[in-house]
Amino acid sequence: MRPVRRSTLHRALILGGVTGLRAALGPALVSASRRSRNRELMALASLGEMVVDKLPLVPSRSSLPLLIPRALAGYWVGRQVSEQDRVPDPNLPLLSATAAVGAALLAPTIRSALGTAFRVPDPVLGAIEDALAVSLGSRAARLSPEELQDLMVDSIASLRQSLPSTDTPALRR
């Protein structure tokens, strides 16, 4: 077995941590970097999660039911990075899953402390967290800002095409 390269380990840990912050973001970024067929759908899921995260009724990501999908997504992200970099180390997905769980457990504490110390509303802190996750994650996934922008534009255009037209008889009065 070949040793894990430092850059591969860093990418897996960062994308795992990003997945702990936003469960759909790490997989969306990896899908985009691999040019997979479902990259637009994954990007839309990630955008949806970022919107839903700001709602007050959303449970904490540090609760056990929400940690499990983050751990699984973190594992998947680590496995994809391992395959992409041709480093078949079985520990890499486990480390990525651990980073996802760690970030999911730590982030609410940091967010609460910052909100209390600086009196910043939680949705604003959530938006800052989104920006940080997208910035770190896109770099780790090796996506340029232009590629990220194109992905968002294409994803939204794809969503618009899949929605029913307002010209349909059922919607006219």
Side-chain angles (χ1 to χ4, degrees):
M1 183 169 16
R2 293 180 359 197
V4 175
R5 289 180 292 200
R6 191 178 212 165
S7 64
T8 302
L9 177 61
H10 288 160
R11 285 174 13 92
L13 290 175
I14 289 169
L15 285 164
V18 164
T19 303
L21 297 176
R22 298 288 176 269
L25 183 57
L29 293 169
V30 168
S31 295
S33 73
R34 296 190 85 177
R35 311 283 189 268
S36 73
R37 288 179 294 140
N38 64 350
R39 68 182 177 273
E40 291 174 359
L41 181 62
M42 296 294 291
L44 287 172
S46 182
L47 284 173
E49 181 184 11
M50 287 181 194
V51 170
V52 169
D53 176 65
K54 310 309 174 284
L55 301 175
L57 300 174
V58 176
S60 172
R61 72 189 107 196
S62 62
S63 65
L64 184 59
L66 295 181
L67 281 177
I68 294 169
R70 289 172 196 282
L72 293 173
Y75 185 92
W76 183 87
V77 164
R79 197 173 86 217
Q80 298 306 308
V81 168
S82 176
E83 288 175 9
Q84 198 171 30
D85 289 5
R86 293 181 174 83
V87 180
D89 187 327
N91 294 320
L92 210 55
L94 294 172
L95 290 170
S96 185
T98 302
V101 170
L105 290 171
L106 189 58
T109 304
I110 293 171
R111 199 160 146 176
S112 176
L114 289 173
T116 302
F118 299 106
R119 296 183 186 194
V120 179
D122 196 54
V124 172
L125 288 171
I128 293 169
E129 188 177 304
D130 291 342
L132 179 66
V134 168
S135 177
L136 290 173
S138 62
R139 285 187 207 161
R142 299 179 179 148
L143 291 171
S144 71
E146 293 79 22
E147 289 173 310
L148 198 56
Q149 182 178 355
D150 290 345
L151 174 63
M152 291 298 109
V153 169
D154 294 346
S155 298
I156 292 170
S158 175
L159 177 63
R160 283 186 179 156
Q161 288 175 352
S162 69
L163 294 174
S165 172
T166 55
D167 293 340
T168 58
L171 296 177
R172 279 192 232 144
R173 290 201 175 221

